[in-house]
Amino acid sequence: MDIIHLLPDSVANQIAAGEVIQRPASCLKELVENSLDAGATRVQVIVRDAGRTLLQVIDDGVGMSEMDARLAFERHATSKIREAQDLYSLRTMGFRGEALASICAVAQVEMTTRRKEDETGTLVEIHGSDVVRQEPCACPVGTNIKVSNLFFNVPVRRKFLKTDQTELRNLLNEFYHIVLVYPKVSFTFVHNDEILLELPVGTEKQRIEAVFGNPKKNVYTSAFVEVKTETEMVGIRGFVIKPENATRKAEQYFFVNGRYMRHPYFQKAVQTAYSGMLTADYQPSYFIYFDIDPQAIDVNIHPTKTEIKFADEQTIFQILMASVREALGKFTLAPTIDFDAPNNLDIPLPADAPVSRPQVTVDPGYNPFHTRGAIYPERPPKNWESLYDGLQNTSNRPQTDIPESREVEVPDVEHVPVWQYGGKYILVASEDGLLMINQHRAHVAVLYAQFMEQLGISQGAMQQLLFPEVLALAQDEMVLVGQLLPDLKAIGFDLEQLSPDSYSIQGVPAQLAQQSPVPVLQHILAQVRERGPDTQREWREQIALTLAQNAAIPYGKNLSEVEMRDLLARLVALPQYRRTADGKIIVSLLTDEEINKRF
Ligand code: ADP
Ligand code: MG
């Protein structure tokens, strides 16, 4: 009997949704990008409970015909490309044709849409991929799409959403990435009936000011100078902050051909341009827009990826650095400016210079432990991925972490074989391959959970110091410690003010007994200051994370078998154990298939 079968669409869509729609912010991005692709001049975003309850996007774009309104929700339905070749001349934001299919698989979607030439519009309502209603309706030209109760049918996902505050911040960040490249489109963003942003049509500069020009963000365009360079290879324009206006917490944005991108190597170029002009931990804010032939960049095929590869990164690095220096030179008397000799500077190589990496195949159906109450009725066939080309991860970074949308059961860590490798990883043999667990990060996750709990109930285990140490602080740090004091006490620090600019440390969290407390406290202060968390919850997360990083077992420490099993048991007992609180991968799998291939 044949055992391979095609997955029903609803299941395939849910799997894809795991990739495309990870949180409300990714859903918002897809919807707003669709509006822009549809030529909207006005886009309204209405959100409830940080997107958990409602995400609505209303546009005045071209709208859809009755037929298209239904087709739009089919997998790989797109009006934007017809053949593979089109991928290389993309000018639209979307092209994969899977956003709407993914969204409607994991939410309740209601859409009304009308084209200018049609008298009546169309209403479509879809709940978890099931069309529950499609009928003609009266509505304005454009599209109005309402996404309610995101992940209503994927409880695990829903449970793993962060606090409303964090999800709202993600939504806004995603929104910034888009609105900063569409100053000619007006936008509003409403959250729980409060207008958070009202962005009229204007220039790029006015848009930046409209988004960030509030006292809290401390970014005013008067604090910036303009960058503008045209070369045959690339056009670079935008704004960079005057050195004297730099802060510890910067707004840093790169855009390429109208898309936001992250680019650590180019960030380095900007930073290098500022060398010698900024105090040690100050960061330059910038908004830089690149224009380049689409053929010279790698198409951003992965829906959630914001890194983009350029054909000639080193040359662009030079051009970028020189343009920023030139712009700064007009406004400062920095003696270091020497446009003719940018090569004299110590220019780092791209962090990701082309090297061939091993190709790691991923089995997304893989569950290292036993599945209980899995979302999918059956395990997808091993090669399901090839069914959906668009889904394949084309980045050359091996994606070996385990998909997050599974409920897992604690593995039988008492009985499976475990080893330590390289003083860094714990290896666990499992049915599907070799699990590799980063020992330091695993411990960070365990400690983080502990610290967060202690902060919640205010009773961290404390170890008294025999010889109290002195923490000398600058004035702003004194203020900060004052603010953090209750939380630092709750987590186990015993601090007493000694003088107007120092505290004595008399006790430390028991987990920290091995470390010298002064650098740890300084690290916490620096992190809190740099990240600028603004709620107590975020403070606490930052404190707990920094503390956990300091207290966790380091690399190179040999672990006994008992220690390894203990750590694993504590790790898998956490609600989220695949990544640390700051998103680093803890668990990775080398599949059985991958191992066999080598022989
Ligand atoms: P993609 O954007 O990759 O084509 P989507 O799933 O996001 O895929 O959308 C599918 C199709 O639905 C689009 O190609 C477009 O034709 C249509 N569509 C989606 N949103 C809108 C909108 N707001 N206005 C007009 N057409 C839309
Ligand atoms: Mg789209």
Side-chain angles (χ1 to χ4, degrees), residues 30-31 34-35 37-38 59 62-64 68 72 77-80 94-101 113 143:
E30 295 296 339
L31 295 179
N34 279 347
S35 296
D37 284 345
D59 69 50
V62 292
M64 285 175 254
D68 284 353
T78 178
S79 53
K80 298 168 195 172
F95 58 84
R96 302 157 51 95
E98 67 189 5
L100 291 185
T113 185
T143 302

